[in-house]
Amino acid sequence: MNVVISRDELQKRLADIQSVVDKKTTMPILGHFLLSAGESPSVSATDLETAIKEPVTLEEVREGGNLCIPARKLYEIVREVEGDIVMESEGTEWLRLKAGRSSFRLACMNPEDFPKWPALSDKVVMEIEASRLLGMIEKTLYSAGESDSRYTLNSLLFHIKPEEKTLTVVGTDGHRLSAVKDTIGVDAGEEMKVIVPRKSASELRKFLSQEEGGIRMDIAANHVAFHVGEVQFLVRLIEGTYPNYEQVIPKGNDKILGISREEFIKSLRRVSVISRDHSNAVKIDVSPGRLTITASNPDIGEAMDEIGIEYDGVEITLGFNARYLLDALNALSAERVIFELQEPLSTTLMREEGDENYQCVIMPMRM
Amino acid sequence: MKTILLADMDAFFASVEQRCNPALRGKPIGVTGPAHRSVITTASYEARRFGVKTGMSIREAKALCPQLILVTGDNDKYTHICTALKEVYLSFTPVVEVYSIDEAFLDITGSSHLFGGPIETGRRLKAEIQRRFGISATIGIGPNRLLAKLASDISKPDGLRLIEASEAGPLLKDLPPEKLWGIGAKTAEKLKRLGIRTCGELASAPAGLLRSCFGVMGERLRALGMGVDSTPLHADQEEEGGPGGTKSIGHSTTLPHDLFRRSEMAHWILRLSEKVGSRARRHGLTGRTVTLIMRYRSFETFERRRGLGAATNDTHTIFRTAMDILSSTRLKEPVRLLGVTLCGIEQADTQLALFGGEDRRAGLLRVMDMLNMKYGPSTLTWAACKGESPHRGIISPAWRPSGAHRSL
């Protein structure tokens, strides 16, 4: 292989793949990326959970070929050098790099050993605008588990119902849950539930935010490939059963509160100063026209805050983890939110006024 | 000046056994742990006259006193009486530190006048213990713990002694330092090498010499020699519950036989995990780290720990984590002791779960704990733990009736 590439182009491509390159891996090859200088030149990287492949523009291809290059080191070099970069392989073991008057020699690995890009068979194709999918991930990622032993919770569920032409994205850590539904273009098929690892979903956001048009999702048995512009973003799906989220979204909560989102956030933040060092438990007293938040910590002291709300039902008192309330309130965006309650220990629901498609479910605490 | 009273049961385990079985009264008996690996945990005063001491092997004891009657200890009995004794102490003063299963310090500074002074308080307490439990106690009273302990030590058994602060000097003058509570054989040996053979000499030793030899402890040793001890009482109420008081919850057990196969260790680890889990649940605490302690046949002891994603007090999670640690440990020798500890203690979360599974298990554990609380330990337990009586091991002398870190 012998190619010439502009410094800026190489730096951008390397920046895109850095987060997927596995840094602490036991398999050294995963710390490398694959540069293919064939008919359609590309770079690809993987941590075996997520894989990225994107085209790269080469100024000149003097000799084609593939090479497996240490991703971190090359990125560090490219950031320091100036001018176009000449990359030349010596067998499969070495890369000789020249830029201006600088030259480097980097130990590489055999491209034959790089994990193969899987072929997706029996795939279902879906289309959605990048900005809408990005919004759905942003609205649910906060509630997904992070290191739960119930590993399917450390993910987002993509629930596709072709007959309704809807996609629902769900995140839950077992204590709170968020679900957002939107319409999509999908070519028939059966109802599907695919479980996308949290880290992959989080990584995908970066590419979605750079794309203005629509994207394509190819869903196969074990993988889903997101085609975002020219970038291919492949995710290995988590096997297992996602909890039945539809069952825990409360349907008939009859104590309905209308609250200013901004005021609720400010009030919770103030009371959290006292509650946050421990379990972050706050007590919420709801009475007609008024919501009172209190916290007490035997080592520190007490806090109380009050806001006006729209409510004319019976009084009710609940306990909550203030962080769960704040996370949900921050994920919502409307000026006013609806907070639906039932019993002190039953599931609560928060949503935006006039929007039934985005639901934040929070389980209370036992006071 | 404070008035501290120490109530020390005389040959506690043996007295309890003699009380329960009249045939044993007046005879030399030795209380032992379970089965063949055990030692004498307590000898009755009749046996002590033959030289039988705590910690002797059964063979040694029998050689000294061939007519010695061996009784296997019944820890339930002892813990029950210890808990009931605390009730008695609390009727004399609210400031009680149950120091071990058979000793308790009472701060009677503010309450002794109600009972006619310190000596009369001690006399009444002794009588009450005798009346309710039929066992004798020695009462030592002093201006601090050190002198209360000394008063008790020099008047055992069945004694009652008050040491006034003014008596301390003459009394301690010719006393060997190792007779003092807090000075062990090793320290005494070091002191001897410095030419200090009595408490009197210790009290008048140059502070600089003691500091250079014992570090910060030097000052304290000198104070002890003078009969001064400012260690406050740890009244139980203050230490109970709360993450501030408890840093870890752990249990260990010496196995009846050395084990090498992991599968054979599993049920011991389950039993220990259940003890740890139920104790944590009883006090509303959870922990973030599980530690497995192993001691080889050669007594080489080591531990391995593993963090948990979320704090827990679920027996099964503790067990599974301990087993994970075991399976990732390469054993060099058969194991004679196993221990399971939960650390990173915090107040149990009261956050409710969205999905049923978790709550069902918490509910099961709650019912199990309630039954075991009402009908006794291990009334309802895992099948794998059956066939083992609940308290077969030797009870720890540090056993106390309350507080997460100090009960069975």
Side-chain angles (χ1 to χ4, degrees), chain B residues 53 70 107 110 187 192 197 209 211 214-215 233 235 260 262-263 266 273 304 312 352 354 370-371 373 394 400:
Chain B
K53 283 183 189 146
L70 295 174
D107 184 342
T187 308
K192 267 201 194 105
R197 286 161 194 286
L209 174 71
R211 209 180 303 118
F214 296 98
L233 250 62
F260 195 70
R262 292 182 170 87
S263 56
S273 304
R304 298 269 184 280
T312 192
L352 301 170
L354 267 174
M370 275 160 60
L371 285 170
M373 186 67 94
I394 296 172
R400 287 145 219 228

Side-chain angles (χ1 to χ4, degrees), chain B residues 323-350:
Chain B
M323 286 305 289
D324 278 354
I325 299 172
L326 180 64
S327 59
S328 62
T329 305
R330 185 183 297 238
L331 295 174
K332 291 193 303 191
E333 284 174 44
V335 172
R336 60 169 285 131
L337 172 142
L338 284 169
V340 173
T341 303
L342 189 64
C343 5
I345 297 296
E346 51 191 57
Q347 209 74 49
D349 205 350
T350 50

Side-chain angles (χ1 to χ4, degrees), chain A residues 150 172 174-177 243 248 324 345 363-366, chain B residues 243 309-310 320 347 349-355 358 366:
Chain A
R150 297 163 290 176
T172 181
H175 299 309
R176 38 51 186 286
L177 175 150
V248 300
Y324 292 173
L345 299 182
M363 205 61 198
M365 290 176 97
R366 201 187 292 276
Chain B
R320 219 177 44 213
Q347 209 74 49
D349 205 350
T350 50
Q351 174 67 48
L352 301 170
L354 267 174
F355 307 105
E358 204 177 355
R366 194 158 47 237

Side-chain angles (χ1 to χ4, degrees), chain A residues 203-214:
Chain A
E203 204 49 49
L204 178 63
R205 289 185 299 177
K206 184 172 73 193
F207 297 97
L208 291 174
S209 64
Q210 292 162 10
E211 181 62 35
E212 284 171 8

Side-chain angles (χ1 to χ4, degrees), chain A residues 256 332 334-340 350-358:
Chain A
I256 316 255
L332 294 160
E335 200 175 301
R336 291 191 75 74
V337 294
I338 305 294
F339 198 12
E340 301 182 0
M350 214 188 279
R351 59 182 175 85
E352 294 180 353
E353 198 163 31
D355 182 2
E356 301 284 343
N357 286 329
Y358 180 34

